[in-house]
Amino acid sequence: MRAAGQQPPSQSKVDLIRKSMPGLTGEKRLKAYENMVNEAEWSGEVNTVLGLCDEWIQYAQKEGNLSHEESARNKRLTLIYNSEDWLRLEKEAREQKDWMEKHERWNSFYKAWRDIIESCSYTSRTQTALREAEQMQEYAQQQGNTLGRALACQEIGVIYDNIDHHQSVKALDRSIRLMKEIPDEAQNELLSAYFYLAQELDQIKDYSRELVICKEWRQHLDHIKALEKPEAGKMNVYDMEQHLWYASALIGSDSLAAAARELAACEQLNEQIKDPYLTYQMQVHQARLAMKEGDIKKAVAFTDLYAPMMDLDWWPMAQRQRGEILLAAGRDHEAALLYQKMYHHKDSTFSKDVRIQLDELNTLFQVDELRMKGQLERSRFVIFTVVLILLALLLFIFFRHRAAKRLAQKNQELTIANARAEESSRMKTDFIQQISHEFRTPLNILNGFTQILTAPDMVLQDEEKADIQRRISESTERITSLVNKMLELSDANSQQVIDRSDRIAALVIASQAADNAGIEQASHIKFHLETDAQAETVVHTNLRAATRALTQLLDNARKFTKEGEVRLRIQVQPETIDFIVEDTGIGIPAKEAEHIFDEFVQLDEYYDGTGIGLAVARSIARRLGGDIVLDTSYSGGARFIMSLPKE
């Protein structure tokens, strides 16, 4: 959340504090440093204020005052964050995170980690940001730190804003639940979480839920005001943001009179704080309300107010809204120019983001590959040492022949391990090249149709427009699918424990997985879902994750069964519930029973796929407390067993 409504202090006040400091010692001098930094913060001279923070830190170290040193270090992070120098922030946050961990200042430790995640997000390194957030959540879970878990969930929700709004809402919901457990520690963080969740619900047009969240948000604001006397300017900003999103939810719910009252309250608050960013947001909502009321002229007037300050990176919804209002007002030429700029900007921005994400993925793959090589070298050393000791012992007791045989076996295993490592490296390279190639086709289609649609003399028939719309939609879905593949690859390596808060019948998991896999519609096979009394057994798990893992197994069975049948049945064990997927396909050799769960492994390259489905499925099952194995005793094709704990 941003702080606003404060006026820069006069330099004389900072100088006055500086002049008083030689006569101060101990806690009084530390407090003077704090006041001087707070006064100087609004000067805009970041490096100068950072220098004052360093003086504060040095004196706190001299006094042995960890509390003041922690405050000064946090202030450094705040100053760099507000300057929006994200690479500098990441470097600074990593240094301060290490200091906070060393001195067990845990709340500040997790806030510094949050700054690392946000610096990665703001530099378009989404995968790195997500990996950091998941590691933060896992660390906080192990440590039992509720604030750390809450902040990690909030960051995961913000990261998913551009990927999956429903996943974003789920993560932000969990963040708010955790913050409510520690209201004294997470007052401001809870305000931020309500802000982000209201935005996400507005994106998916869940206005009824957004109204509920905005009311909770208001109650929390009133609670803070009742407990203490916060700065008026800062609270006016929080109040105004709550009114804005409450107004948006009311507009979406067609409660136009109530929305008008909320926006009127915003105007009154804005008279006091005069925040430009919030002013533009208010004008966007006022234009939307006028459009709903049918007052096109008034809607155009509001869009004309915010249009001069609206660059193409700022709030795409506001840009689309202006285009719609211009069209409704008959200003077709202006609307066409705006849409043309938006298409070109989106195309160039998307291409840039794809390049950044592919570079990021390549870097992550290289890091994993180096780690794998290091492990391989250590394994070689251990195996070599064991073989030497074993050979010496066997030579000593004259079992040379047996020693030679064991050494040959070890060498053979090492050769297989080397071959698999090289195969994995090759498949990773092929995967990156495949993804890069597949991105070009839909991007070229989108670019071509953009040029057609924006051509000044182009006249299209309704059938042609429908065809263009269909192909643009297909290309967009294809790009989304490719991005999901990259996210699945990250998910396969995740160690994060999945929340198991759903109590659901096993049959529901099986039915949803069959629907998601579309296996019942496959024309080349017959699918059987065996339902009996055991299928109604309730399992304590995560419905979405369990369904996703089982869907991967059904997809695998459908793909590798050219003709015949696939059978899904449920067995209840004393402590687990087993989902058994059997097919009459090509089968899997027993020696490959574990190898097939490695990333990028495809035993038959004539079949389509990336080779990560089984790796993702096993990763999910294990993070749910269960496992997936191949039943090597089955000879009619392949039989996979997914076991999930009942409780």
Side-chain angles (χ1 to χ4, degrees), residues 408-423:
Q409 182 181 356
K410 293 293 182 181
N411 286 335
Q412 182 180 8
E413 292 174 358
L414 184 59
T415 300
I416 294 173
N418 282 332
R420 288 180 175 176
E422 292 174 359
E423 178 188 12

Side-chain angles (χ1 to χ4, degrees), residues 236-237 239-240 243-244 260-275 282 286:
N236 284 342
V237 170
D239 279 338
M240 189 168 174
H243 283 304
L244 282 172
R261 289 193 294 271
E262 292 296 315
L263 291 175
C266 287
E267 288 188 287
Q268 291 180 354
L269 290 169
N270 200 39
E271 286 297 319
Q272 302 174 45
I273 60 178
K274 299 187 184 302
D275 184 296
M282 182 175 65
Q286 287 171 325

Side-chain angles (χ1 to χ4, degrees), residues 133 136-137 147-160 167-168 170-176 178-179 496:
M136 176 178 170
Q137 185 178 35
L147 179 63
R149 292 165 59 201
L151 292 178
C153 287
Q154 179 174 305
E155 292 305 313
I156 290 172
V158 174
I159 292 168
Y160 269 102
Q167 283 299 312
S168 178
K170 186 174 181 179
L172 291 169
D173 267 333
R174 180 163 178 76
S175 175
I176 289 174
L178 291 168
M179 288 178 185
Q496 177 191 352

Side-chain angles (χ1 to χ4, degrees), residues 458-514:
M458 180 60 64
V459 177
L460 299 173
Q461 300 298 322
D462 290 343
E463 293 82 2
E464 294 172 323
K465 291 180 181 178
D467 182 62
I468 289 174
Q469 182 179 3
R470 177 183 60 78
R471 296 185 67 181
I472 288 176
S473 177
E474 290 174 351
S475 298
T476 304
E477 290 175 358
R478 186 173 178 184
I479 291 171
T480 301
S481 174
L482 293 171
V483 172
N484 287 337
K485 283 185 180 180
M486 292 187 282
L487 291 175
E488 282 190 339
L489 179 61
S490 174
D491 202 21
N493 293 312
S494 175
Q495 300 296 319
Q496 177 191 352
V497 176
I498 298 175
D499 175 58
R500 296 189 290 123
S501 57
D502 297 328
R503 296 186 63 83
I504 196 75
L507 180 59
V508 173
I509 298 173
S511 299
Q512 287 194 14

Side-chain angles (χ1 to χ4, degrees), residues 496-637:
Q496 177 191 352
V497 176
I498 298 175
D499 175 58
R500 296 189 290 123
S501 57
D502 297 328
R503 296 186 63 83
I504 196 75
L507 180 59
V508 173
I509 298 173
S511 299
Q512 287 194 14
D515 289 341
N516 293 345
I519 195 167
E520 292 178 292
Q521 287 73 45
S523 59
H524 63 291
I525 58 173
K526 292 182 179 179
F527 174 68
H528 303 281
L529 173 57
E530 296 184 4
T531 58
D532 54 21
Q534 294 190 93
E536 297 296 332
T537 303
V538 173
V539 58
H540 195 179
T541 188
N542 183 296
L543 174 60
R544 180 181 176 277
T547 302
R548 183 179 171 201
L550 188 56
T551 300
Q552 295 281 11
L553 295 183
L554 291 173
D555 280 338
N556 192 71
R558 175 178 52 80
K559 182 167 62 175
F560 291 101
T561 305
K562 290 185 176 180
E563 59 181 5
E565 64 179 25
V566 175
R567 188 177 301 274
L568 171 58
R569 54 192 175 91
I570 300 168
Q571 283 188 353
V572 178
Q573 306 296 342
E575 295 183 3
T576 64
I577 292 182
D578 294 345
F579 296 84
I580 303 171
V581 178
E582 297 176 350
D583 63 56
T584 57
I586 60 175
I588 300 170
K591 65 179 181 180
E592 301 291 343
E594 285 300 312
H595 183 44
I596 57 170
F597 290 101
D598 293 338
E599 297 168 17
F600 306 106
V601 170
Q602 289 182 277
L603 301 183
D604 192 336
E605 296 185 354
Y606 290 99
Y607 287 84
D608 293 333
T610 57
I612 61 175
L614 291 177
V616 170
R618 173 176 271 190
S619 172
I620 293 172
R622 287 182 172 178
R623 287 186 284 138
L624 288 171
D627 203 356
I628 294 178
V629 297
L630 174 71
D631 184 355
T632 55
S633 66
Y634 183 72
S635 59

Side-chain angles (χ1 to χ4, degrees), residues 1 176 180 187-199 209-225 235 237-247 278 281:
M1 300 284 282
I176 289 174
K180 286 180 178 178
Q187 281 188 2
N188 290 334
E189 284 71 20
L190 190 52
L191 289 175
S192 299
Y194 279 129
F195 173 79
Y196 290 128
L197 181 54
Q199 282 188 315
R209 177 81 198 290
E210 187 179 1
L211 289 171
V212 173
I213 290 301
C214 286
K215 289 176 182 177
E216 287 186 20
W217 188 359
R218 168 55 52 196
Q219 291 172 357
H220 184 63
L221 280 167
D222 294 340
H223 175 71
I224 292 176
K225 292 177 185 178
M235 290 311 298
V237 170
Y238 295 155
D239 279 338
M240 189 168 174
E241 286 177 330
Q242 190 274 339
H243 283 304
L244 282 172
W245 289 107
Y246 193 27
L278 292 176
Q281 280 199 358

Side-chain angles (χ1 to χ4, degrees), residues 33 48 50 89 102 205-206 212 264 336 351 360 418 423 486 580 583 593-594:
Y33 271 120
T48 301
L50 288 174
L89 175 66
K102 179 180 178 181
K205 298 182 173 25
D206 190 349
V212 173
S351 298
E360 181 189 13
N418 282 332
E423 178 188 12
M486 292 187 282
I580 303 171
D583 63 56
E594 285 300 312

